[in-house]
């Protein structure tokens, strides 16, 4: 917790205006372990500062200073009414030194205002009537819990009119004869008070209406389930069938994707070298067979040279590819 916009001296405040003197908020771990609400912690710190105001209070924030000056102006009239009495009594109390006075107990956050008011009370001034303050009215939307359209309002009123809720009684005769100690004991012990409240005619009537509504709702729900059970069963079976077919289709898609990845991925270098080497050997064997056939007298020289050169070119191309792949 840090005080913003002021500079002051207090045992609970360090040089950075951080509140360090209140044990439950000394650090984050202590605050979490204390299970204290933030509002309670702030309230305790503010009450301490009201009873023990800080010293050497200086407002450094301009907007806060302007707000303080406007507050000083709003209390000038009340100050002037007490001027003559304070001037003759010579009873001057500084707002910081008198911790039991009204200013010290009520004006932390307005200490600068209190000092201005006390100082001005030493100088005689002409009394002036207090300024007339206009009565504050809440904004329109503050007075409305919920905004509803006219149609919604009519529906709500019609529904409430059909509920026939019992009127809340103004008096409870069965409790008027109970003495004060017994009533106090009941109020202090809710577990003992609840059985007495259940015996009230109002509660009995409301419980009866509640059970009637629950029975009506159960009957309506059962009739709806009976009317729509067959269509819902058909829809359920169709959904189960579609889910099963969807699962099969997804499995097929996954298998095809795996096959596609297997086909599209780069081949292993050793596998490629083995395939080229085997193909090179096949082309070499083919050219040797062509030469053996020609030596055996099968075919002419031109036909032999064409087939032999074609086979040997394929052999040398594959050998060149294999060499480049090995050196890459």
């Amino acid at each position: 917790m840090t005080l913003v916009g002021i500079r002051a001296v207090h045992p609970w405040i360090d040089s950075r205006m951080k509140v360090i003197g209140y044990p439950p908020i000394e650090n984050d771990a202590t605050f979490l372990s204390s299970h204290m609400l933030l509002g309670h912690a702030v309230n305790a710190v503010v009450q301490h500062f009201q009873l023990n105001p800080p010293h050497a209070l200086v407002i450094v924030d301009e907007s806060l200073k302007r707000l303080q000056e406007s507050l000083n102006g709003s209390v000038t009239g009340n100050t002037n009414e007490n001027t003559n009495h304070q001037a003759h009594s010579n009873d001057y109390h500084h707002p910081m030194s008198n911790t039991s006075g009204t200013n010290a107990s009520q004006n932390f956050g307005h200490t600068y205002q209190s000092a201005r008011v006390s100082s001005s009370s030493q100088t005689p001034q002409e009394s002036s009537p207090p300024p007339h303050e206009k009565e504050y009215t809440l904004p329109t939307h503050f007075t409305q819990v919920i905004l509803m359209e006219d149609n919604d309002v009519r529906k709500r009123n019609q529904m409430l009119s059909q509920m026939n809720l019992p009127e809340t009684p103004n008096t409870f005769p069965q409790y008027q004869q109970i003495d004060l100690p017994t009533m106090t004991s009941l109020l202090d012990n809710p577990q003992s008070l609840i059985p007495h409240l259940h015996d009230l005619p109002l509660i009995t009537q409301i419980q009866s209406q509640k059970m009637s509504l629950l029975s009506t709702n159960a009957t309506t729900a059962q009739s709806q389930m009976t009317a729509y059970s067959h269509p819902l069963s058909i829809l359920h079976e169709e959904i189960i069938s579609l889910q099963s077919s969807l699962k099969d289709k997804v499995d097929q898609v996954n298998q095809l994707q795996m096959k596609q990845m297997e086909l599209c991925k780069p081949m292993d270098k050793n596998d490629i070298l083995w395939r080229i080497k085997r193909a090179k050997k096949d082309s070499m064997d083919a050219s040797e067979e062509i030469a053996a056939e020609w030596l055996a007298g099968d075919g002419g020289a031109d036909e032999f040279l064409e087939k032999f050169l074609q086979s040997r070119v394929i052999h040398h191309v594959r050998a060149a590819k294999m060499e480049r792949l090995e050196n890459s």
Side-chain angles (χ1 to χ4, degrees):
M1 184 184 300
T2 305
L3 304 182
V4 180
I6 66 169
R7 304 293 298 177
V9 178
H10 193 275
W12 277 24
I13 306 175
D14 62 5
S15 59
R16 295 175 298 176
M17 296 295 101
K18 184 177 180 180
V19 179
I20 59 174
Y22 189 51
I25 59 172
E26 185 176 359
N27 52 57
D28 294 342
T30 305
F31 178 66
L32 292 176
S33 62
S34 66
H35 303 290
M36 176 180 287
L37 297 178
L38 180 59
H40 294 170
V42 173
N43 186 27
V45 172
V46 171
Q47 288 184 358
H48 178 79
F49 284 149
Q50 288 176 342
L51 297 175
N52 305 277
H55 304 282
L57 178 64
V58 178
I59 301 177
V60 297
D61 184 75
E62 294 298 330
S63 60
L64 185 60
K65 186 179 296 185
R66 289 193 297 269
L67 175 63
Q68 191 72 37
E69 292 175 355
S70 65
L71 292 175
N72 289 339
S74 65
V75 300
T76 303
N78 295 332
T79 304
N80 291 334
E81 291 179 359
N82 300 325
T83 301
N84 294 332
H85 175 71
Q86 293 179 355
H88 290 291
S89 63
N90 264 339
D91 187 11
Y92 172 74
H93 297 283
H94 195 276
M96 292 299 178
S97 60
N98 185 6
T99 58
S100 62
T102 302
N103 290 335
S105 62
Q106 297 180 354
N107 289 312
F108 172 72
H110 302 292
T111 308
Y112 181 69
Q113 169 187 343
S114 303
R116 290 281 300 273
V117 172
S118 300
S119 299
S120 62
S121 64
Q122 295 180 350
T123 305
Q125 297 179 359
E126 296 181 359
S127 61
S128 58
H132 177 70
E133 294 184 0
K134 184 179 178 181
E135 183 179 357
Y136 178 76
T137 57
L138 290 173
T140 305
H141 64 279
F142 275 37
T143 60
Q144 297 177 350
V145 178
I146 186 171
L147 298 177
M148 301 178 64
E149 300 292 340
D150 294 339
N151 190 25
D152 296 333
V153 173
R154 286 193 296 270
K155 290 181 179 179
R156 183 196 62 180
N157 294 336
Q158 183 180 2
M159 180 185 66
L160 293 176
S161 63
Q162 296 175 355
M163 293 182 66
N164 297 324
L165 291 175
E167 295 183 359
T168 303
N170 296 325
T171 60
F172 297 90
Q174 58 270 37
Y175 290 106
Q176 292 180 356
Q177 304 300 327
I178 299 178
D179 56 359
L180 181 59
T182 305
M183 180 61 69
T184 303
S185 176
L186 290 175
L187 294 177
D188 293 339
N189 189 2
Q191 298 299 327
S192 301
L193 180 62
I194 291 176
H196 293 272
L197 296 179
H198 286 170
D199 295 335
L200 290 175
L202 174 66
I203 302 299
T204 304
Q205 189 174 357
I206 291 177
Q207 290 289 344
S208 175
Q209 290 186 358
K210 183 184 76 171
M211 298 305 297
S212 176
L213 289 174
L214 289 176
S215 177
T216 304
N217 291 339
T219 303
T220 303
Q222 187 64 35
S223 63
Q224 293 292 331
M225 288 295 298
T226 303
Y228 292 101
S229 60
H230 183 65
L232 289 176
S233 299
I234 296 176
L235 287 176
H236 177 70
E237 293 176 358
E238 184 178 357
I239 290 172
I240 295 298
S241 176
L242 291 175
Q243 286 179 344
S244 178
S245 61
L246 176 62
K247 183 177 182 300
D248 296 337
K249 298 296 183 183
V250 170
D251 293 339
Q252 293 179 7
V253 170
N254 291 334
Q255 293 177 1
L256 292 175
Q257 285 181 346
M258 292 177 62
K259 187 175 180 180
Q260 180 186 15
M261 293 174 61
E262 186 69 23
L263 293 174
C264 294
K265 72 178 183 179
M267 295 182 63
D268 184 63
K269 181 179 178 181
N270 295 328
D271 187 25
I272 297 175
L273 288 173
W274 180 80
R275 290 173 181 266
I276 295 177
K277 184 178 181 180
R278 187 176 65 177
K280 184 185 72 167
K281 185 178 181 302
D282 291 342
S283 61
M284 182 67 179
D285 294 341
S287 64
E288 290 295 332
E289 289 180 2
I290 293 172
E293 290 176 358
W294 180 74
L295 291 174
D298 187 8
D302 294 337
E303 183 181 359
F304 161 71
L305 289 175
E306 183 180 356
K307 291 182 179 180
F308 183 80
L309 290 176
Q310 184 179 1
S311 179
R312 281 302 176 96
V313 168
I314 294 175
H315 169 75
H316 289 296
V317 169
R318 290 171 178 174
K321 289 182 177 181
M322 185 175 177
E323 183 179 359
R324 291 189 61 181
L325 187 59
E326 288 176 345
N327 297 329
S328 62

